[in-house]
Amino acid sequence: MTYDKENIFCQIINNKAPSERVFENENALVIKNINPRAPYHLLVLPKGEYESYTTFGTNATDREKLDLMEAINFVIKEYHLDDAGYRLVANTGYYGGQSVPHFHIHILGGEKLPTFGL
């Protein structure tokens, strides 16, 4: 599958679409979700052209992976999410409910989240 360079997250990363940026390093960007599902709902985006966790895990450099982890840890600490808990979600593909074909991680917290019954 060919990466869609016109997807909204690619546009946000390249400053071609607006977003509320919270954190940024060389290889990752954190933005607030425009349609939050919890009091804190942030999106962690690798800046590279990755469609899924699989393409990121297989092709990203060690530096890209570390920068993504740094961005996730920033959100958890900045919003004190460790205190009561949080959820990390990465939807992948059609069956996984992925709406933007750019790998991203949702971080949700700030209230009791519904369980999935897993």
Side-chain angles (χ1 to χ4, degrees):
M1 187 176 249
T2 304
Y3 180 80
D4 173 16
K5 292 184 180 191
E6 297 302 315
N7 77 69
I8 189 63
F9 292 158
C10 189
Q11 292 178 41
I12 288 170
I13 290 165
N14 292 308
N15 294 308
K16 295 179 180 177
S19 68
E20 189 171 346
R21 292 170 180 241
V22 173
F23 175 85
E24 186 169 5
N25 61 30
E26 183 180 351
N27 295 297
L29 173 65
V30 178
I31 61 173
K32 289 188 176 180
N33 192 312
I34 62 169
N35 186 22
R37 304 298 172 103
Y40 301 117
H41 188 169
L42 297 108
L43 303 175
V44 182
L45 316 170
K47 291 182 179 179
E49 297 176 354
Y50 303 107
E51 290 182 354
S52 68
Y53 176 80
T54 305
T55 57
F56 180 79
T58 302
N59 300 312
T61 66
D62 289 344
R63 182 76 252 164
E64 288 175 300
K65 292 173 185 176
L66 287 171
D67 282 355
L68 188 78
M69 295 304 295
E70 178 188 29
I72 292 168
N73 285 329
F74 171 85
V75 171
I76 292 166
K77 289 178 184 175
E78 180 72 14
Y79 293 93
H80 308 285
L81 298 179
D82 260 342
D83 297 344
Y86 57 91
R87 180 174 292 159
L88 299 178
V89 177
N91 302 322
T92 303
Y94 176 75
Y95 282 3
Q98 185 176 12
S99 59
V100 178
H102 182 98
F103 171 55
H104 58 286
I105 296 173
H106 297 256
I107 303 178
L108 300 103
E111 69 182 11
K112 175 77 170 101
L113 300 169
T115 61
F116 290 104
L118 299 174

